[in-house]
Amino acid sequence: MATGFGAAVMVWASIMLVADLVHHAQVGNQTPLLLGLAHLPILLALVMADLPGAEQESKVTKCCFCLRSNFVRGLLSIYLGFSTIPRAFKFPAAEFDNALEQLRGFGSLWQAIMVLLFLSGVLQVSLSLMRGLASCCCRGQKADAKK
């Protein structure tokens, strides 16, 4: 998977999350504000880990070694996709429009972000599993060839 795509999805999710945090801070909703603040470091770490270029990736993966794995990044992306479901479908507790959603054409941005988070996560997990299976098969063929 192109790392630029994953980073772009995470950047848009971060922007929308910050817009929601501003809304919750203005109206005084502390619980959604704290939940959003808990997800923000995960999003920002994934943005930094998915940026093109090995220099940025090595800085983040030195601090959080689990982000080296595409499998873990994919699982985190799927988790973030699940966490956006209430916001994407405007459940009663999340039935508001932040400043970005009030702009023309941005009303369904949370739905798009949710789908892209799921897709990028499923692709990352699938590709890492296929890569692991391929390496196991190649090792087996090399061992059979040596006999």
Side-chain angles (χ1 to χ4, degrees):
M1 170 191 286
T3 56
F5 172 74
V9 171
M10 296 301 166
V11 166
W12 271 106
S14 301
I15 290 169
M16 290 297 287
L17 180 61
V18 168
D20 280 1
L21 291 175
V22 168
H23 168 79
H24 291 304
Q26 288 174 344
V27 297
N29 292 341
Q30 291 182 356
T31 304
L33 179 67
L34 293 175
L35 286 173
L37 285 173
H39 287 96
L40 195 59
I42 298 170
L43 275 168
L44 295 178
L46 286 172
V47 167
M48 291 298 293
D50 282 342
L51 279 177
E55 183 179 319
Q56 289 87 5
E57 186 172 316
S58 65
K59 290 178 185 177
V60 173
T61 56
K62 283 180 184 177
C63 296
C64 187
F65 65 91
C66 63
L67 289 178
R68 290 181 191 145
S69 167
N70 282 332
F71 185 77
V72 172
R73 289 196 305 228
L75 288 178
L76 284 172
S77 182
I78 292 170
Y79 164 74
L80 290 169
F82 275 116
S83 70
T84 61
I85 287 175
R87 191 65 184 94
F89 293 111
K90 300 206 186 253
F91 286 0
E95 196 170 357
F96 65 90
D97 287 338
N98 64 32
L100 286 175
E101 289 174 304
Q102 292 172 2
L103 298 173
R104 196 174 101 192
F106 285 89
S108 59
L109 196 53
W110 268 120
Q111 291 92 344
I113 288 172
M114 180 195 67
V115 169
L116 291 174
L117 284 171
F118 278 127
L119 287 177
S120 66
V122 167
L123 282 173
Q124 281 183 328
V125 168
S126 301
L127 290 176
S128 66
L129 288 175
M130 285 191 288
R131 189 176 298 137
L133 287 173
S135 67
C136 288
C137 291
C138 290
R139 279 190 231 145
Q141 289 176 353
K142 287 180 184 177
D144 290 342
K146 288 182 180 180
K147 290 182 181 180

